[in-house]
Amino acid sequence: MKPRTLALVAVFGLLAQAAYAQDPAAGEKIFVQCKACHQVGPGAKNLTGPNLNGLFGRKSGSVEGARYSAANKTWGQTWTEEVFRTYIQNPRETIPGTTMAFAGLRDAQKISDLIAYLKQFGADGKTP
């Protein structure tokens, strides 16, 4: 690859990363939409939906004491950033039969920020 071409590829790569830089503070504001059904942090409880502490790396439908639809219990996915991105854009399309009422979050930057916010909380609800 020519040096100029390589430089352009590098610049575009940096711009793409910057466009979706994750901002936990912005994600906390987005999480307000989720609070009616979900909690995070120390002492988080299951509400209509499960608490979201330690979400990433956890298997779907696996929070003790949470009420899940049969579709969610049997979905069998592990929550990764990519799985969450797909799911949160359109939960009912991603898991047909889910009882999650949220219509979806389609803005890629907002999803990135929400992920950054949720990733702060370990399974115990504590942040580093």
Side-chain angles (χ1 to χ4, degrees), residues 46-122:
N46 297 324
L47 300 176
T48 303
N51 78 72
L52 299 179
N53 289 337
L55 175 66
F56 296 98
R58 180 171 87 195
K59 188 170 173 138
S60 64
S62 66
V63 173
E64 188 71 33
R67 295 174 296 176
Y68 291 102
S69 64
N72 198 301
K73 284 183 199 175
T74 60
W75 191 42
Q77 295 290 315
T78 297
W79 291 109
T80 63
E81 283 191 37
E82 192 56 40
V83 168
F84 182 80
R85 276 180 198 287
T86 300
Y87 175 76
I88 204 64
Q89 288 179 42
N90 192 337
R92 285 179 250 147
E93 183 178 287
T94 305
I95 305 177
T98 187
T99 56
M100 181 146 151
F102 184 64
L105 181 63
R106 302 211 176 31
D107 183 288
Q109 183 61 59
K110 288 180 179 179
I111 294 170
S112 290
D113 294 340
L114 180 58
I115 288 170
Y117 176 68
L118 293 174
K119 284 182 93 173
Q120 297 179 106
F121 299 96

